[in-house]
Amino acid sequence: MRVLELIHELLTELGSHRGLKSLDSRASLERDLGLGSLERVELLSRMEKDFEVRLPDNLLREAETVSDLATALNSCRLTDRERRFSGTTAYPQTETGGNWDPSTLALAHSRRDFFCGLAPPETLVQALVMYARYEPDRIHIQLLQGDQPPQSITYGDLFNNSMSVASGILNRGVGRGERVALMLPTCDEFFCSFLGVLMAGCVPVPIYPPFRSDRIEEYARRQALILQNAQVRLLITFQEANLLARLLRPRIPCLEEVVTSDVLHSDGQKPVVESIRPHDVALIQYTSGSTGDPKGVVLTHGNLVANIRGIAQAIQLRPTDLGVSWLPLYHDMGLIGCWLSSLYHGIPLTLMSPLDFLSQPERWLWAIHYARATLSVAPNFAYELATSKIPAESLSGLDLSSWRAALNGAEPVSPHTLKRFSNRFRKYGFREDALLPVYGMAECAVALTVPPLGRAPRIDEINREVFTSRGKAVPSVNAGGKPLHFVSVGKPIPGHEIRIVDGSGQTIPDRTQGHIQFRGPSVMQGYFGNPSTTQEVYHDGWIDSGDLGYQAEGELYVTGRSKDIIIKGGRNLYPQEIEEVVGEVSGIRPGCVAAFGISNLRTGTERLVIVAETRIRDDSELESLRAKIVNRVAACLGLPPDIVVVVPPQAVPKTSSGKVRRDACRKLFQEGRLGHSRRPTWLQVVRITFGSVGGYIRRASHWLCRGLYGFYTWWILGIIGVPCWLVLGFVPAADSGWSRRIYRFICRSTFSLAGMNPLLEGRDHLAHAASLTSQGRPLLLVSNHSSYADALVLGAALALDFRFVVKSEAASWPLLGRFIRKCDFLLIHRDDLSQLSPDYEKVLTVLKEGAVIHIFPEGTFTRTCGLRPFQMGAFKLAVEANSSILPVTLCHLRRVLPEGTWLPRRHPIRVIVGPPLVPQSDELSEQVRLRNAVQKEFLRHCGEGALDLVLAGPPRK
C-alpha cells in the first residue's frame, strides 16, 4: 500500500491527473502512469529512503509495472528483515502484512469515490471514460435491426472502438478542431465514429445518408454544399454509400479522404486521447432546412452538457429510467436528445432504425413494452402514424404502463393528435399525463421548454378572429365560433430564459403574439463560417428563434414560423393548421401537404396556395378531390384557398427530418416544376460524375503543383547542402562553431529560396535571454516537436550559436550524421538506460560551462496531431544548472512537412519566442512549475491541443 502512496504523491506533484486515475498494481509505469526515466529515478530514490533499503541497479530498466516494484521491494525487505533479526540493521516496525493485493484496495477506493459523488463530467468524452472505467461491462445500447437479434454495446466496447477510430483519424493528420463528416445510418459504427472524432479533438459533422435512389442527384448537390461550408477534411461513410461519397469528393476541394470506419479501425496504431475541454467545439449541427445557404450550428461540449443537464432536471431523470428511440442520429433530437443524453447520464437506450419504424410503426411501441422503457421522444407525425396506421391485431398484449415521459417535439404539436393518441392507447396502459409537448431547436442544442410532469397536455382554445386580425390570444367563449387551438410546450429548462417581443424588440404582454427569443448556457456559438447570418439572429444577448408565439401563466405557446405566416385580407393564416386540415381529407396523404402564400400585386395581398399529395390518378376523381379541399378549408378558416394543386407522391419537398420545405415548394410551384418525374438513377449518377469533372481537374492540378514545389524544395536543399557537406569534411573537429555557422547558412538559404522565411515573433524576449547569457547564466532552449523540419526552422530563425540534444543513432545516419558530429551536438542513448546518468551528466556539464543547448521536451514526435506529454529531463537540467529556459513555439510545421510524406508543402511558418523562465529553487515542485509554464506557452500558440498518452479507460483484464 505504501508503494501506491509514494507513486500517488509523485504523480500529484507532477500534476498527472490521468496517471492518478490509472494507478493500480497492474499499471504500466511508462504507458499508464506516464513516468519517464528521470521520474522513475526519483521514485526509486523515494522508495529507498522511505523503506530504508537498497534497490537493485537493474530495477530502473527492468521494472515495467507497479507490481514489479512491489515484488522487488518485498525481496529487498526480506533480506533486510533477516539482517534485522541478526542485529545488523535497524528496520521500521510498521510493515504491510502477508497476502495484500494493492489493486483490490485501489479499485475499492475508485468504486467508493464513484458511487459517493464523483464530480459530474464536463464533456461527453469524460462521461464515456468514466462509465467505461468503472462499469465497462454494463450495456449502454441495445441496437435493434429489423428482425435480427438485438446487438448489445457496452461502455467498454464503445470506449475501445472509439479509441481505435480516434487513432485512425489522427494517423491521417487531421488536426485539432478540424471537421470530420459522418454519413452513416443508425448502426454501431455511428457511435464509435462520432465519439472517435471527439476523442481525436476534431469536430463531427453528421449528415444524413442517401435513402432514395431517385433523388440521388438532389442529395449530392445539397450535401456537397454542406461539406464545403463546413470545410470537412475527412468523410466517414458506409460501404454502400462509398461510391456516392467518392463522386462527391471532387466537388469539395477541402475534402482529402473518404473512408469507412473499418479502414479507421484497421490502422492498428496506439490509441491516444486528446485533452477535451468544455469550451471546445463538440458538434456542428446543420439545421434541417439547410439548402442553398447551409447553416451549421456550432455547439461546444459546455453547450451540450448544459442542455443535457437541463433536460434531465426538467423531466426529473431517475437512475432507473430506460429510453427507446428510432429517431435518426443525424438530427439533433435523435443525436442529442436521445443518444448523447443517455450516454451522459448512463441511461440504457434501445435504438432502432427510422426505416424500421416507418415500415412497421408498432415496432416502436413494442420496443417500449419489452424494454419496460420509461422515456421516448418522437415528432408529432410519429404519434399520428401510430394512432392511425397500426392495426389492432398488432397490439394484442401491448403494455405501455412503464412509459412515464412521452415527449412530442421537433415539429408543431397537434392537439388533435395528442387526444387521439391518448384515447387509443389508454387501454394499453398509456397515461395521458405522460404526454409532454416540448419545444426546442438546434440553435439551443435541442431542448428549450418542457411542460410540468404529471399533467395532461394544456390546450389553449382562443378566438380565431381576434387572433388572426390583432394577434391577441383571447380565450374563446363561443364553442361554435371555430376557435384556434394551441398547445402549451411548457416553461424553459433550468438555466434558460425566453421572452416574447414585437417587431422593434420590445417585450410585450402575456397573450400577445410576437417573436420568440431565448438565451442560456445551451445557446450556440454561431453559424459556422457565417458571421453575417449569426449577427442577424442575435439581439442584445438574445437569440431570435424565427418562431412566433405567446406566453400565458409562464408557459409558451408556439403559433408558427414567422416567415411562413400567410397574410391574406388583413388576416394571419397559419400553414400548419391548414396543412393538418387538408391532410384529413380522404385521399390526401397526411403530412404531405404544403400551404404557402404568393404575392398578388393586383390586390396587394397574398394568395393562398395549397399543394397536396395523393395516389389518385383518375382526372374526375382528382377534380372532386380539389373541391373537397376547397370546401374543407373554407369551412374551417372562413375563406377558400386561391389555388389547389394535387400532385403525385414524393412531389412535396421535405427536409432530412421529414419537415415540409415550404420555401422549396413555393419555388417549384412558381417555376412550374411541381410533380415532374425525376430522372432515372443511372442518369443522375452520370450527371453527378460529369459535374465533378471540373473538381477532378482542379484536384489533379493542385497535386501536380504541390509535387513540383516539393521536388523544387529538395533540389534547393541539395544544391546548397551537398557542397556545404563536402566543405564540412575539411573543417577541424575542434572548430565546431564554424560547422554550426555552415548549418545555419544552409537552413536560412533553403527557406529563403523556397519562399518560406520563418516569421520570428518575440525578438525582445530573445534579446533578453541573450543578455542573461552574457551575464553568465546558462541558457536552455526548448521547442515543441512536430516534424523533421523543426531543427531546420530553428537554425534558420534563431541568430544564436546553440547545440541540439539529439538521439545517439542520428549520428550514424548518412549525410546528416556528419553535420551532427561536426556541429558537436549532444548525443543521448535513449534506449540504453545504463547510459542515462552519464549522458545526463555530460549535458549538465556543458550547460553549466555556458553553452546554449536546445532540447525537445516531448522527446520525439508522431504523425498524431497534438502536444505530447513532456519528459522532465530538460527542466531538471535547468534547475540543477540554474539555467534560464527560453520557450520557442513552432507553428504550422505539420503543414509544411506532414508525417507520411517527404514532399514539403508551402505554408507560412511562425516562430514565437516566449519570455525567459528562471528557476526559483532546486525542488521537484520547481521543475513541475517550469514544465507547466512551458507547456502553457506552447499550447497558447502552436494551434494544437495537449495529447494525453495515458489512458483512463477500462481496467485491463
Side-chain angles (χ1 to χ4, degrees):
M1 186 170 77
R2 180 57 183 158
V3 175
L4 285 178
E5 291 176 355
L6 289 173
I7 298 175
H8 188 282
E9 292 171 3
L10 179 60
L11 291 173
T12 301
E13 291 182 43
L14 294 172
S16 179
H17 304 294
R18 294 285 190 183
L20 288 169
K21 291 182 179 180
S22 296
L23 180 57
D24 62 37
S25 65
R26 295 165 294 180
S28 165
L29 296 175
E30 183 169 8
R31 185 183 65 251
D32 296 324
L33 305 184
L35 297 178
S37 302
L38 292 176
E39 289 86 351
R40 276 179 279 169
V41 170
E42 175 68 23
L43 174 61
L44 295 183
S45 173
R46 294 187 182 193
M47 289 175 58
E48 289 180 338
K49 181 178 179 180
D50 191 274
F51 289 100
E52 297 185 2
V53 296
R54 178 71 173 89
L55 295 171
D57 295 335
N58 62 353
L59 186 62
L60 179 65
R61 61 175 180 271
E62 293 182 359
E64 295 184 358
T65 67
V66 175
S67 181
D68 293 341
L69 293 179
T71 300
L73 179 63
N74 285 334
S75 175
C76 293
R77 291 179 64 181
L78 178 62
T79 303
D80 286 349
R81 185 179 295 113
E82 293 170 348
R83 287 199 298 269
R84 184 186 66 168
F85 287 130
S86 65
T88 58
T89 185
Y91 195 83
Q93 294 301 311
T94 55
E95 300 177 12
T96 302
N99 297 321
W100 166 72
D101 180 6
S103 65
T104 303
L105 184 60
L107 182 59
H109 280 305
S110 299
R111 300 285 298 184
R112 182 192 64 193
D113 291 342
F114 173 65
F115 290 111
C116 293
L118 197 69
E122 295 184 325
T123 70
L124 297 170
V125 172
Q126 287 181 13
L128 174 61
V129 169
M130 181 180 71
Y131 291 119
R133 177 170 178 78
Y134 292 105
E135 300 180 288
D137 297 324
R138 187 157 70 91
I139 294 176
H140 167 45
I141 291 173
Q142 286 271 30
L143 189 58
L144 307 180
Q145 297 174 306
D147 297 324
Q148 300 177 16
Q151 177 185 356
S152 297
I153 302 174
T154 66
Y155 287 103
D157 292 337
L158 183 58
F159 176 86
N160 291 329
N161 290 332
S162 300
M163 290 289 286
S164 179
V165 170
S167 176
I169 292 171
L170 291 171
N171 287 336
R172 282 163 169 75
V174 183
R176 185 182 184 92
E178 293 188 302
R179 276 69 59 197
V180 177
L182 308 177
M183 185 198 289
L184 293 166
T186 299
C187 61
D188 55 343
E189 294 302 331
F190 182 95
F191 311 115
C192 61
S193 296
F194 185 94
L195 292 170
V197 173
L198 289 182
M199 286 181 166
C202 303
V203 181
V205 181
I207 62 175
Y208 71 96
F211 291 119
R212 298 186 49 186
S213 60
D214 63 336
R215 292 189 172 181
I216 194 170
E217 187 176 4
E218 175 189 356
Y219 173 87
R221 184 171 59 252
R222 294 180 63 192
Q223 299 312 306
L225 288 172
I226 290 175
L227 295 175
Q228 180 61 37
N229 178 265
Q231 290 293 290
V232 167
R233 280 196 63 191
L234 183 68
L235 171 61
I236 305 175
T237 187
F238 57 110
Q239 195 61 47
E240 293 79 1
N242 208 9
L243 175 60
L244 173 61
R246 293 184 184 281
L247 289 174
L248 282 172
R249 186 180 173 189
R251 297 170 175 245
I252 310 159
C254 57
L255 182 60
E256 296 183 359
E257 191 173 2
V258 176
V259 297
T260 62
S261 58
D262 292 340
V263 174
L264 296 175
H265 283 301
S266 65
D267 275 7
Q269 300 293 323
K270 180 180 178 180
V272 293
V273 178
E274 280 275 3
S275 298
I276 309 300
R277 297 155 295 188
H279 63 265
D280 289 335
V281 176
L283 172 67
I284 298 180
Q285 177 75 46
Y286 277 83
T287 57
S288 55
S290 296
T291 53
D293 181 22
K295 293 193 297 183
V297 173
V298 178
L299 298 168
T300 64
H301 282 270
N303 294 146
L304 292 178
V305 168
N307 202 259
I308 288 169
R309 289 175 178 173
I311 295 171
Q313 293 181 57
I315 66 173
Q316 298 176 20
L317 195 70
R318 308 164 184 169
T320 54
D321 277 325
L322 297 97
V324 165
S325 175
W326 55 264
L327 294 173
L329 295 170
Y330 52 78
H331 188 256
D332 52 9
M333 193 159 72
L335 177 64
I336 306 170
C338 294
W339 174 44
L340 295 181
S341 292
S342 298
L343 172 69
Y344 183 85
H345 290 292
I347 299 299
L349 180 64
T350 299
L351 277 175
M352 68 179 70
S353 162
L355 297 180
D356 287 343
F357 163 74
L358 292 173
S359 62
Q360 296 184 40
E362 60 268 26
R363 285 174 169 166
W364 174 35
L365 304 182
W366 279 108
I368 295 172
H369 166 97
Y370 284 116
R372 305 312 299 149
T374 58
L375 310 171
S376 193
V377 56
N380 189 82
F381 89 86
Y383 291 93
E384 184 62 42
L385 196 65
T387 302
S388 58
K389 296 299 183 182
I390 301 177
E393 56 270 21
S394 298
L395 300 175
S396 177
L398 179 69
D399 180 9
L400 300 178
S401 60
S402 64
W403 198 358
R404 73 172 186 87
L407 290 82
N408 182 334
E411 63 182 20
V413 180
S414 167
H416 306 296
T417 298
L418 297 176
K419 291 179 180 178
R420 287 195 291 266
F421 185 86
S422 59
N423 288 338
R424 181 174 187 193
F425 293 100
R426 183 179 293 112
K427 63 181 179 181
Y428 299 103
F430 183 78
R431 301 182 305 278
E432 185 181 14
D433 60 11
L435 282 170
L436 295 177
V438 296
Y439 172 67
M441 64 203 68
E443 287 82 354
C444 190
V446 61
L448 182 55
T449 65
V450 176
L453 296 176
R455 184 194 76 184
R458 177 174 292 177
I459 300 172
D460 204 12
E461 186 175 283
I462 62 174
N463 186 293
R464 177 185 297 273
E465 180 62 32
V466 175
F467 189 76
T468 57
S469 60
R470 295 163 45 199
K472 299 289 186 179
V474 177
S476 176
V477 293
N478 182 4
K482 301 175 186 175
L484 282 170
H485 297 89
F486 293 113
V487 179
S488 166
V489 291
K491 300 179 180 181
I493 61 176
H496 295 70
E497 300 174 78
I498 59 171
R499 69 176 184 178
I500 309 297
V501 299
D502 58 20
S504 62
Q506 299 300 311
T507 304
I508 55 180
D510 278 7
R511 291 198 167 275
T512 303
Q513 180 180 247
H515 300 272
I516 302 173
Q517 294 184 351
F518 63 92
R519 66 182 179 186
S522 304
V523 169
M524 66 173 181
Q525 305 302 300
Y527 295 115
F528 183 80
N530 201 337
S532 59
T533 305
T534 301
Q535 191 62 34
E536 289 175 4
V537 300
Y538 272 90
H539 303 279
D540 298 326
W542 295 80
I543 297 286
D544 192 337
S545 67
D547 290 327
L548 297 174
Y550 64 89
Q551 283 183 295
E553 299 178 12
E555 298 191 24
L556 177 66
Y557 296 80
V558 181
T559 58
R561 295 289 293 173
S562 57
K563 66 178 182 180
D564 290 336
I565 297 295
I566 305 163
I567 303 175
K568 181 176 173 63
R571 292 179 56 188
N572 291 338
L573 305 180
Y574 298 86
Q576 296 90 347
E577 182 190 22
I578 298 170
E579 291 161 359
E580 185 175 354
V581 166
V582 175
E584 295 172 351
V585 175
S586 177
I588 296 299
R589 301 184 70 211
C592 301
V593 181
F596 52 85
I598 58 173
S599 298
N600 187 335
L601 298 178
R602 184 176 60 83
T603 61
T605 187
E606 287 189 315
R607 303 176 75 191
L608 172 58
V609 180
I610 296 174
V611 178
E613 291 183 6
T614 183
R615 300 187 187 277
I616 297 173
R617 290 291 180 268
D618 183 77
D619 289 342
S620 60
E621 291 186 37
L622 288 175
E623 192 59 39
S624 173
L625 189 60
R626 291 189 188 93
K628 289 179 182 178
I629 292 173
V630 170
N631 293 334
R632 185 63 182 270
V633 173
C636 291
L637 302 185
L639 54 83
D642 296 286
I643 301 172
V644 175
V645 182
V646 182
V647 294
Q650 313 303 331
V652 173
K654 293 185 177 182
T655 68
S656 60
S657 58
K659 298 177 184 176
V660 172
R661 295 165 56 204
R662 298 187 185 94
D663 282 343
C665 193
R666 180 189 292 110
K667 183 178 180 181
L668 289 174
F669 170 78
Q670 292 174 331
E671 294 174 353
R673 296 193 293 119
L674 267 177
H676 283 195
S677 59
R678 291 185 169 83
R679 301 180 182 93
T681 301
W682 68 267
L683 182 57
Q684 294 186 53
V685 173
V686 170
R687 286 171 57 89
I688 294 172
T689 304
F690 276 100
S692 301
V693 169
Y696 282 117
I697 294 174
R698 286 192 298 272
R699 279 184 174 270
S701 301
H702 174 72
W703 284 108
L704 177 61
C705 292
R706 177 178 288 181
L708 290 174
Y709 177 80
F711 283 115
Y712 165 72
T713 305
W714 275 112
W715 179 76
I716 291 173
L717 185 59
I719 290 295
I720 299 173
V722 171
C724 291
W725 181 83
L726 294 173
V727 169
L728 275 180
F730 300 98
V731 176
D735 198 355
S736 60
W738 269 103
S739 298
R740 291 194 291 273
R741 291 189 187 96
I742 293 174
Y743 171 76
R744 293 197 298 274
F745 168 77
I746 295 173
C747 297
R748 287 194 298 268
S749 302
T750 300
F751 280 101
S752 177
L753 293 174
M756 287 193 299
N757 275 323
L759 175 63
L760 181 63
E761 303 177 25
R763 295 177 186 272
D764 52 337
H765 296 146
L766 187 62
H768 179 51
S771 68
L772 291 176
T773 304
S774 65
Q775 297 170 15
R777 181 183 289 274
L779 179 62
L780 178 64
L781 305 176
V782 291
S783 301
N784 55 310
H785 202 6
S786 58
S787 79
Y788 285 114
D790 294 352
L792 298 175
V793 171
L794 289 166
L798 301 181
L800 285 175
D801 181 17
F802 60 91
R803 297 160 67 180
F804 284 104
V805 175
V806 298
K807 54 188 179 183
S808 58
E809 58 263 34
S812 61
W813 290 349
L815 299 178
L816 290 178
R818 174 176 288 185
F819 283 99
I820 291 173
R821 294 189 300 272
K822 288 287 187 176
C823 294
D824 198 19
F825 292 162
L826 301 169
L827 304 180
I828 295 292
H829 299 77
R830 59 180 186 178
D831 294 327
D832 185 357
L833 291 179
S834 64
Q835 282 290 111
L836 175 67
S837 183
D839 289 343
Y840 177 83
E841 291 299 329
K842 178 183 176 182
V843 176
L844 179 61
T845 300
V846 171
L847 185 61
K848 286 182 175 180
E849 290 175 351
V852 180
I853 291 176
H854 180 281
I855 294 179
F856 291 108
E858 293 170 90
T860 186
F861 73 94
T862 62
R863 67 185 298 177
T864 300
C865 183
L867 191 68
R868 294 170 61 87
F870 288 177
Q871 303 295 321
M872 292 299 294
F875 310 100
K876 183 178 176 64
L877 280 169
V879 168
E880 293 192 2
N882 195 25
S883 166
S884 301
I885 295 182
L886 188 66
V888 181
T889 311
L890 305 178
C891 305
H892 313 311
L893 267 296
R894 289 191 200 275
R895 295 290 191 176
V896 174
L897 191 64
E899 177 72 6
T901 177
W902 284 99
L903 285 179
R905 303 175 183 178
R906 187 172 183 181
H907 196 281
I909 300 172
R910 296 170 64 208
V911 178
I912 304 173
V913 181
L917 303 171
V918 179
Q920 304 298 321
S921 71
D922 58 359
E923 301 294 331
L924 175 63
S925 59
E926 181 63 10
Q927 298 177 30
V928 174
R929 184 190 73 82
L930 293 172
R931 181 202 64 182
N932 294 343
V934 171
Q935 187 178 50
K936 183 178 180 181
E937 178 71 13
F938 288 172
L939 289 173
R940 194 157 64 96
H941 298 297
C942 72
E944 300 179 1
L947 201 59
D948 190 349
L949 302 183
V950 179
L951 304 185
R956 293 163 302 285
K957 302 297 183 184

